[in-house]
Amino acid sequence: MPTPAPAPSHRPTPSRRPAPTRREALVTAGLGTAAALTGITLAPGATAATPTTTSPTATTTTTTDRPGAPTEVLALTHATVLNGADSRTHPDQTLILAAGRIVGSGPSAQLKPPPHAKVVDLSGKYVVPGLVESHIHTSGDEALTPPLFPLTGITAVREMWGQPLHHAWRKKIESGTLLGPRFVIASPLLDGPPSIWARDTGLPLMEVTDEASARAAVRQVKRDGADFVKVYSRLSPEAYYAIADESARQRIPFAGHCPDSLPMSRAATSGQRSIEHLHAMLLATSSREREIREALAKVRIDPNDPSSTSRYGSWFRQVHPLEWQAMRSYDRSRARRLYDTLAERGTTVTPTLTIHHSLERTDELPTAVDEWKYLPAWLIQTWPQTWESLVGSRTPDDTARIRQIYEHRLGMVEEMHRAGVPLVAGTDTGTGYAVPGFALHEELRLLSEAGLPTHQVLASATTVPARLLRLPENRPADLVVLDANPLADIRNTRRIHAVVNAGHYIGPQERTRLLAGIEKAAAASTPPEGEGIPTTATPGCACNAPH
């Protein structure tokens, strides 16, 4: 078969960056203490030369196998502190933790630990803010999934297909009876009929057909306790605009896919908080967008197909040629206007390069990875079957083109960064070949490969998602202690020495013990009774459809 023509190179020139936020301006203006750099609210008048402390007192917390509960004052001394916004490092700093919060910080020579504090010497170690995973789909055994996040340095997550299970986990985590990250939880998917997803997933799905049903759905998910509304790909313009308007009325954010029926710029101007994945970006930067969008409108899903995997595979086969046309008709000026709109509106993009890489660079799929031991073997066995059903029909031409599309996606990520578009690290964990927690470190590597400076890669998993998820500025102490500087090599985020999760210090020995327990539980896991080994995509892969 003929080899496809090479893709054009689209590397942009630097564009202006957005104005700094008020908080960033304050940091730049002088709040350079370790407290400011780790997301701590400083005492009035604190400066880089003035250590800050409150009066730390011991507290008592009842936990179930939650190590390092804040029953004592903890002083982390002689650490090099990094923030998530720039490339500065602050050596030989002391952080004092009490009642689950950082209550003091400053140079170790000036800030002495209280006499009753437990002192942990972190000489030679690097402290960064707790990492944030901005796109996951999780389910299953609470003994496996929630603990893996903090044990791999992830202290907050955004769950993109909300279920009652996630709200139950969050209550246990907040009460101290379950080790896990801070959860920000989406609504069920709000999609138009027929959805890409059939009912075989067993997960809640709300198909809205018009303005009335869309508004009713927003009100319902708010009553049910969702933190934000999740919009999906098959929504009509009428339903989408109703969701946007009702979300504003109800004061609940909305985020998710850019619907196929809308230009991406309209999603930004409608107030969508974040846009997931890079599929819609291809159309939005094409000089042939109108023509390709007309073809996209003719793509059909069989409403009688009971299999989500089958629907997904059919969709992929129909959309791939349109993505190729869009990439080949890339328009630099059009792209710049779009990126400027996203930046001006503060619309965050979650590239999810991890799942793009898995689906578009299938020749690089691993056959065994050490961290797979933390998942049940029966689950891992389903991954090759699922991928075969999704990509097995590709021809050599298809494969070559999709590889070029992936490289083009990397270029778009760099372009967005240069234009000042907020980017956050998310993986689509819950899909095949992505292990909770571990996958985020791979996403950081891929963002670095796309051309982001290392400190910006770190920001995509710290300060930027903290704003997106509206985490409180005076949040509990969430930190990762590393054996090596991640600004020298982003892969050093994997070199975890200890974690502070909501003020709970998990040291090296305790972390090793807890990971061993997860490995043992995974090895003992069996498929759900009566179901056997699933042969379709796992419920977690809600957001992989290429649109």
Side-chain angles (χ1 to χ4, degrees):
M1 295 186 179
T3 301
S9 175
H10 311 305
R11 295 289 175 173
T13 56
S15 177
R16 60 172 180 79
R17 298 183 184 277
T21 64
R22 178 177 180 272
R23 186 177 179 192
E24 290 170 337
L26 287 172
V27 171
T28 302
L31 299 184
T33 65
L37 299 178
T38 52
I40 307 159
T41 300
L42 294 175
T47 68
T50 306
T52 65
T53 58
T54 60
S55 298
T57 56
T59 60
T60 301
T61 302
T62 302
T63 66
T64 300
D65 198 28
R66 185 161 186 172
T71 56
E72 58 191 351
V73 177
L74 181 67
L76 307 179
T77 65
H78 303 295
T80 296
V81 175
L82 287 66
N83 69 11
D86 58 38
S87 56
R88 292 178 295 174
T89 62
H90 298 259
D92 203 12
Q93 299 287 313
T94 288
L95 304 174
I96 299 176
L97 284 62
R101 296 186 181 277
I102 302 176
V103 297
S105 62
S108 296
Q110 300 178 35
L111 181 59
K112 300 303 180 184
H116 54 287
K118 175 183 177 181
V119 177
V120 179
D121 189 335
L122 296 181
S123 296
K125 307 300 181 185
Y126 296 81
V127 176
V128 300
L131 303 178
V132 181
E133 158 67 275
S134 293
H135 193 123
I136 64 168
H137 299 277
T138 54
S139 59
D141 190 344
E142 69 178 31
L144 299 178
T145 302
L148 271 177
F149 287 109
L151 294 177
T152 52
I154 289 83
T155 58
V157 298
R158 184 172 60 149
E159 171 59 55
M160 296 300 294
W161 192 339
Q163 308 171 51
L165 173 70
H166 302 124
H167 292 273
W169 284 355
R170 178 159 67 182
K171 288 181 179 179
K172 289 184 178 182
I173 291 167
E174 291 176 347
S175 70
T177 60
L178 176 64
L179 176 62
R182 179 192 300 270
F183 265 84
V184 176
I185 305 170
S187 70
L189 301 189
L190 270 61
D191 202 6
S195 175
I196 292 174
W197 295 96
R199 301 291 176 176
D200 59 340
T201 65
L203 300 182
L205 173 67
M206 304 176 76
E207 291 186 343
V208 296
T209 57
D210 54 21
E211 178 181 353
S213 60
R215 291 184 182 276
V218 172
R219 294 192 293 268
Q220 180 63 52
V221 301
K222 183 178 181 181
R223 287 194 296 269
D224 291 342
D227 296 317
F228 65 98
V229 177
K230 171 68 181 290
V231 293
Y232 211 64
S233 306
R234 301 283 292 175
L235 289 168
S236 67
E238 178 188 14
Y240 177 86
Y241 291 131
I243 290 171
D245 183 69
E246 192 64 29
S247 295
R249 291 171 180 267
Q250 299 297 325
R251 298 185 178 181
I252 182 172
F254 72 102
H257 289 201
C258 178
D260 295 340
S261 59
L262 264 72
M264 184 176 286
S265 59
R266 296 301 298 273
T269 56
S270 297
Q272 186 165 328
R273 291 276 292 168
S274 73
I275 296 174
E276 310 303 299
H277 317 298
L278 298 174
H279 302 293
M281 197 73 66
L282 284 172
L283 263 68
T285 55
S286 168
S287 61
R288 298 172 57 191
E289 179 178 9
R290 179 176 298 181
E291 171 191 343
I292 296 172
R293 193 170 292 283
E294 290 175 356
L296 182 63
K298 298 177 182 178
V299 171
R300 292 292 179 265
I301 294 174
D302 183 358
N304 298 314
D305 189 341
S307 167
S308 293
T309 305
S310 175
R311 289 188 183 192
Y312 179 114
S314 171
W315 185 264
F316 200 170
R317 287 188 292 274
Q318 295 179 76
V319 169
H320 164 252
L322 303 181
E323 287 197 312
W324 175 251
Q325 293 176 34
M327 189 205 77
R328 297 288 293 170
S329 55
Y330 169 84
D331 186 315
R332 187 180 299 274
S333 297
R334 189 180 186 87
R336 181 58 58 84
R337 290 195 298 272
L338 172 65
Y339 301 149
D340 284 347
T341 298
L342 295 173
E344 289 166 2
R345 293 284 176 164
T347 307
T348 301
V349 173
T350 316
T352 62
L353 292 177
T354 297
I355 190 61
H356 281 297
H357 188 275
S358 295
L359 287 170
E360 296 162 10
R361 299 296 295 267
T362 53
D363 58 313
E364 298 180 15
L365 287 173
T367 56
V369 178
D370 184 61
E371 61 244 33
W372 289 4
K373 64 188 178 185
Y374 300 114
L375 292 179
W378 62 262
L379 178 62
I380 293 171
Q381 290 171 14
T382 68
W383 294 348
Q385 301 170 24
T386 299
W387 253 241
E388 176 64 25
S389 68
L390 296 175
V391 304
S393 63
R394 289 177 182 169
T395 66
D397 274 3
D398 292 335
T399 299
R401 288 172 175 169
I402 290 170
R403 287 178 66 90
Q404 292 185 57
I405 289 173
Y406 175 77
E407 294 299 323
H408 184 73
R409 297 196 204 281
L410 294 183
M412 289 193 295
V413 170
E414 183 183 29
E415 290 173 350
M416 285 188 286
H417 156 67
R418 291 182 179 276
V421 178
L423 301 174
V424 292
T427 64
D428 225 348
T429 283
T431 63
Y433 300 97
V435 179
F438 292 93
L440 184 67
H441 298 280
E442 177 63 10
E443 182 73 17
L444 299 183
R445 185 190 69 80
L446 292 173
L447 288 169
S448 179
E449 184 178 282
L452 270 63
T454 309
H455 71 276
Q456 291 292 340
V457 177
L458 190 60
S460 75
T462 53
T463 56
V464 182
R467 291 193 293 270
L468 171 65
L469 275 57
R470 297 180 176 175
L471 300 177
E473 291 192 7
N474 191 24
R475 67 183 191 264
D478 295 328
L479 306 167
V480 187
V481 182
L482 302 173
D483 286 324
N485 187 351
L487 296 182
D489 187 335
I490 198 62
R491 291 173 295 182
N492 287 336
T493 60
R494 300 174 183 264
R495 299 182 60 181
I496 298 172
H497 175 77
V499 176
V500 181
N501 184 52
H504 300 263
Y505 183 79
I506 306 173
Q509 293 182 344
E510 195 68 16
R511 179 172 174 268
T512 298
R513 181 185 71 81
L514 290 169
L515 284 171
I518 294 174
E519 180 181 359
K520 183 177 179 180
S525 176
T526 58
E529 185 176 353
E531 295 184 15
I533 297 178
T535 56
T536 59
T538 59
C541 56
C543 287
N544 300 340
H547 32 72

